[in-house]
């Protein structure tokens, strides 16, 4: 892999809330995010970052993670505590779209994408650990992540893929023939075919990534999929993942009780529909930590974080 280009935060926009885990941009260049206290926020005015404005759109009553904008002022929200939610951005009304699958309560829903046919796909990161113990799943390597589908007009999801290593970000290919799923615990992107002779099959899309992929975002059919890297590759963790299950479980019990501080390194990737990395941007020793999402808005690369109390604005890469 080529040496990464510089990823330099130019502006920091405080948003009055902790942990803007996912960031998505609307057609007007505004950024939406959810924070730890359950609020859905919209940040406007990013062309002039020092005077950016933050507006509260709704409160989920849980912990919002992945977001998907829909037509008609609607938003889908993966809530780690409440399941898949729908939000009317005009009046802030919140409704439960789905909160169980196969008789099991939905927990730790992570990211969501809606396709042009009205179908909705979303991920569950872990069936064993809640959000506040996410590191336990990464250490134990449980393989309990899932990809789910909600058919148009249905309120009962179906399981398409099981056994994923901390299923996280989700995006569709430009022609909607396949989905790209980020498996944080395996440092890979997985392709799940929706159409064609391979429909229903999963295969590697991009492997051995230089960090742990989190949320992913596609702004339009002509652009790449942007992939946030929440943490670097950790060789001892790779070794631990090959150990016996009992060893991994013991390590996970210790990890969830140990204080966690992310490294100062940040990184993002841009990946095309062939699975090729077209941009790799990184910085060591950044003041902004644990990049869990990235999108493009108002001429910036916008970074979100489970750790920070604001978003970072970076220069986009030069076109290749």
């Amino acid at each position: 892999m080529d040496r990464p280009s510089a990823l330099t935060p130019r502006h920091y926009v405080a948003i009055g809330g902790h942990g803007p885990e996912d960031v998505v941009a609307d057609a007007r260049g505004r950024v939406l995010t959810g924070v730890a206290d359950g609020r859905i926020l919209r940040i406007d005015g990013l062309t002039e970052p020092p005077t950016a404005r933050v507006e509260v759109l709704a409160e989920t009553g849980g912990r919002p993670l992945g977001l998907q904008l829909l037509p008609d002022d609607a938003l889908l929200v993966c809530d780690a505590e409440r399941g898949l939610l729908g939000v009317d951005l005009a009046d802030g009304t919140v409704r439960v779209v789905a909160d169980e699958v196969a008789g099991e309560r939905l927990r730790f829903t992570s990211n969501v994408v809606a396709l042009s046919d009205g179908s909705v796909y979303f991920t569950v990161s872990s069936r064993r650990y809640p959000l506040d113990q996410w590191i336990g799943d990464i250490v134990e390597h449980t393989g309990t992540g899932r990809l789910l589908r909600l058919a148009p007009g249905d309120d009962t999801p179906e399981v398409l893929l099981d056994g994923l290593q901390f299923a996280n970000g989700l995006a569709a290919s430009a022609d909607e023939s396949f989905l790209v799923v980020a498996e944080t615990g395996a440092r890979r992107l997985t392709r799940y075919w929706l159409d064609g002779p391979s429909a229903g099959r999963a295969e590697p899309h991009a492997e051995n990534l230089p960090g742990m992929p989190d949320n992913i975002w596609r702004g339009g059919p002509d652009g790449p999929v942007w992939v946030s890297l929440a943490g670097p590759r950790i060789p001892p963790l790779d070794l631990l993942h090959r150990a016996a299950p009992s060893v991994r479980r013991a390590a996970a019990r210790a990890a969830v009780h140990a204080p966690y501080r992310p490294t100062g390194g940040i990184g993002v990737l841009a990946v095309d529909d062939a699975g090729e990395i077209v941009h790799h941007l990184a910085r060591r020793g950044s003041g902004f930590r644990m990049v869990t999402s990235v999108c493009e808005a108002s001429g910036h690369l916008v970074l979100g974080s489970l750790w920070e109390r604001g978003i970072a604005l970076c220069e986009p890469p030069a076109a290749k």
Side-chain angles (χ1 to χ4, degrees):
M1 184 178 296
D2 293 339
R3 189 172 182 175
S5 301
L7 178 64
T8 305
R10 301 295 187 187
H11 300 280
Y12 182 89
V13 179
I15 59 172
H18 178 258
E21 195 268 348
D22 193 21
V23 288
V24 298
D26 68 13
R28 294 172 54 183
R30 300 174 297 184
V31 169
L32 282 76
T33 190
V35 290
D37 61 12
R39 291 177 297 155
I40 303 295
L41 308 178
R42 183 165 59 201
I43 304 102
D44 196 4
L46 293 182
T47 55
E48 297 292 338
T51 58
R53 301 173 298 281
V54 180
E55 176 185 6
V56 179
L57 300 179
E59 297 188 17
T60 70
R63 203 322 177 184
L65 298 176
L67 310 176
Q68 167 71 65
L69 280 161
L70 301 176
D72 302 322
D73 231 8
L75 181 73
L76 289 173
V77 179
C78 280
D79 192 289
E81 299 171 6
R82 301 191 61 200
L84 182 64
L85 309 179
V87 176
D88 186 328
L89 297 178
D91 62 12
T93 303
V94 178
R95 65 183 179 90
V96 175
V97 176
D99 60 3
E100 66 174 42
V101 59
E104 179 182 335
R105 186 72 181 271
L106 275 174
R107 298 292 188 189
F108 212 158
T109 55
S110 191
N111 207 249
V112 57
V113 65
L115 302 193
S116 57
D117 66 358
S119 56
V120 172
Y121 298 83
F122 61 105
T123 55
V124 170
S125 290
S126 175
R127 297 169 64 198
R128 188 167 301 170
Y129 291 90
L131 174 62
D132 62 356
Q133 296 181 354
W134 62 266
I135 197 170
D137 196 281
I138 296 296
V139 171
E140 186 177 341
H141 210 51
T142 70
T144 58
R146 284 175 160 180
L147 172 65
L148 307 180
R149 176 180 184 264
L150 195 59
D154 203 346
D155 59 1
T156 304
E158 62 175 318
V159 179
L160 298 181
L161 282 178
D162 212 338
L164 299 174
Q165 291 294 349
F166 206 91
N168 208 324
L170 188 63
S173 64
D175 61 3
E176 298 189 349
S177 64
F178 63 85
L179 300 175
V180 178
V181 186
E183 290 189 77
T184 306
R187 288 192 299 109
R188 70 181 168 220
L189 305 178
T190 293
R191 182 187 302 136
Y192 179 80
W193 287 100
L194 300 174
D195 295 319
S198 297
R201 288 176 50 194
E203 63 188 21
H205 186 65
E207 297 184 282
N208 298 315
L209 299 180
M212 297 181 181
D214 203 295
N215 287 311
I216 62 181
W217 178 84
R218 178 175 221 131
D222 297 329
V225 170
W226 280 100
V227 182
S228 60
L229 298 177
R233 179 191 175 196
I234 304 173
L237 185 61
D238 295 340
L239 184 63
L240 176 64
H241 287 169
R242 296 194 289 271
S246 59
V247 174
R248 301 198 309 269
R249 284 194 295 269
R253 285 195 296 269
V256 298
H257 292 105
Y260 175 79
R261 289 187 65 83
T263 68
I266 57 174
V268 299
L269 304 173
V271 180
D272 65 19
D273 278 352
E276 297 296 324
I277 295 175
V278 295
H279 294 294
H280 177 198
L281 310 177
R283 180 179 177 85
R284 299 177 66 182
S286 169
F288 192 87
R289 292 171 292 175
M290 197 177 183
V291 176
T292 54
S293 54
V294 55
C295 71
E296 293 182 276
S298 300
H300 304 284
L301 276 184
V302 181
L303 309 183
S305 169
L306 188 66
W307 184 265
E308 298 286 344
R309 299 189 65 85
I311 59 175
L313 309 182
C314 304
E315 291 294 322
K320 289 190 175 181

